[in-house]
Amino acid sequence: MSTGTDTKSTAAGAEAGPQDPVRTPAPTPVREPAPVREPAPVRTPAPAPPAPSAPAPAPAAPPALRAIARWLRAAALRSAAIVALLAVWEAAPRLGLVDSTFLPPVSEVAAAWWELAGNGRLAEHTQASLIRSFGGFGIAVAVAVPLGLLIGWYRPVAALLGPLLEVFRNTAALALLPVFVLLLGIGETSKVSIVVYACVWPILLNTISAVGNADPTLVRLARSMDLSTPRLFQKVILPASVPAVFTGIRLAGAVSILVLVAAEMIGAKAGLGYLINASQYNFAIPEMYAGIVTISAIGVTFNQLLVVIERRLSLWRVPAA
């Protein structure tokens, strides 16, 4: 029995074939660790030399001081030409460039003006002239502005009165002064009337032009809102007309003084024109120039007053960039 079993085992082993020998894995070579390099010493940069300290900013000036400084610079710029004129006026007679008899130095004129102011004569003559001038000027403004608005707005009225206005506006007021004196006498009425006549035309013509040049877009917009004519004038026409109207008013203010002086030279017993004329006849030349300087100062002051009023009435305007 065992023999048969061994024979089968031998046959099975022969069929399976020879067994492969067991391979032993090769040992892994051990690598020695790389030598550790010591870190290079860190070089600390040398400290930079300290920068020179900037000067501390000066403290800002208060706003009030800056405003005063700006005002002083503007005043110096505006008065430079006047100061130069006074310097030339003072130096020319003293250097013999002009005859000091007919053009005394400005210091002598100032002394004569101070004397007139001290004895009350200057105030008396100035008051008489201002009453006549401002009276005629006020009447002219009250008449010319409404009439200019009416003529400028209604085309038929402009067509009717246009030729008549052209005739009278080209007739100088001083040319009609003898006519006023003949018709109204040499009293106050003729003087105030000639001032009114001279002042009406600049105001009237500038008002007519201002109404005619009103923005048509604004006018159409106001009409589309069903505004009545008075409201249209209040909201559109009058605000748009203020600059041009005040240009005419300022021109009329200057004309009122100039024409009045000429009227007072013909027939008057008081006024700056009378003072200048009487000083010329009496050969009081410094007093004559004192009256002329007073008229110039009044004109400049009156014009500046009108400029302030115009700015107050034109606050709606956007200043140009």
Side-chain angles (χ1 to χ4, degrees):
M1 296 297 293
S2 61
T3 305
T5 304
D6 293 339
T7 304
K8 292 179 180 180
S9 300
T10 302
E15 292 176 359
Q19 295 182 352
D20 295 332
V22 178
R23 296 180 181 178
T24 303
T28 304
V30 179
R31 296 181 180 179
E32 296 182 357
V36 179
R37 297 180 181 178
E38 296 183 358
V42 180
R43 295 182 179 179
T44 305
S53 58
L65 293 180
R66 292 199 299 269
I68 293 175
R70 287 195 300 268
W71 182 84
L72 290 176
R73 286 196 298 268
L77 181 62
R78 288 195 300 266
S79 60
I82 301 297
V83 172
L85 174 63
L86 295 178
V88 172
W89 187 357
E90 179 69 23
R94 296 191 180 279
L95 296 177
L97 300 178
V98 295
D99 191 349
S100 59
T101 304
F102 302 106
L103 183 63
V106 69
S107 57
E108 296 183 10
V109 175
W113 187 93
W114 186 257
E115 182 180 356
L116 289 172
N119 58 27
R121 292 175 57 197
L122 184 64
E124 176 187 356
H125 293 301
T126 302
Q127 180 181 3
S129 294
L130 290 181
I131 291 175
R132 296 164 183 160
S133 178
F134 288 170
F137 174 79
I139 295 173
V141 172
V143 171
V145 172
L147 185 60
L149 294 174
L150 179 67
I151 296 175
W153 184 252
Y154 294 103
R155 301 297 181 183
V157 179
L160 177 64
L161 299 180
L164 189 63
L165 296 179
E166 289 294 328
V167 170
F168 280 102
R169 82 181 186 91
N170 289 298
T171 303
L174 294 179
L176 296 177
L177 181 58
V179 178
F180 279 91
V181 172
L182 290 175
L183 296 178
L184 302 175
I186 60 174
E188 300 298 317
T189 305
S190 61
K191 297 177 180 58
V192 174
S193 298
I194 193 67
V195 172
V196 172
Y197 177 85
C199 293
V200 158
W201 303 112
I203 304 173
L204 180 64
L205 297 176
N206 278 273
T207 304
I208 294 173
S209 176
V211 175
N213 293 330
D215 192 350
T217 303
L218 295 179
V219 174
R220 287 195 298 268
L221 180 61
R223 289 186 180 279
S224 67
M225 299 173 66
D226 295 331
L227 289 182
S228 61
T229 301
R231 294 286 291 175
L232 178 63
F233 268 84
Q234 179 186 359
K235 297 296 184 180
V236 178
I237 302 300
L238 287 179
S241 304
V242 165
V245 171
F246 263 88
T247 299
I249 290 176
R250 290 170 59 185
L251 291 174
V255 169
S256 67
I257 298 175
L258 299 178
V259 172
L260 176 64
V261 169
E264 289 176 342
M265 287 181 177
I266 292 178
K269 296 181 179 180
L272 293 174
Y274 169 78
L275 173 64
I276 294 172
N277 199 33
S279 299
Q280 178 190 6
Y281 282 126
N282 296 328
F283 212 72
I285 304 301
E287 293 184 1
M288 182 188 72
Y289 281 104
I292 296 173
V293 170
T294 303
I295 291 174
S296 300
I298 292 174
V300 172
T301 304
F302 190 33
N303 182 72
Q304 292 301 315
L305 177 62
L306 293 176
V307 169
V308 171
I309 296 175
E310 178 184 1
R311 289 175 180 173
R312 299 285 291 182
L313 296 177
S314 303
L315 295 177
W316 56 270
R317 299 178 66 187
V318 179

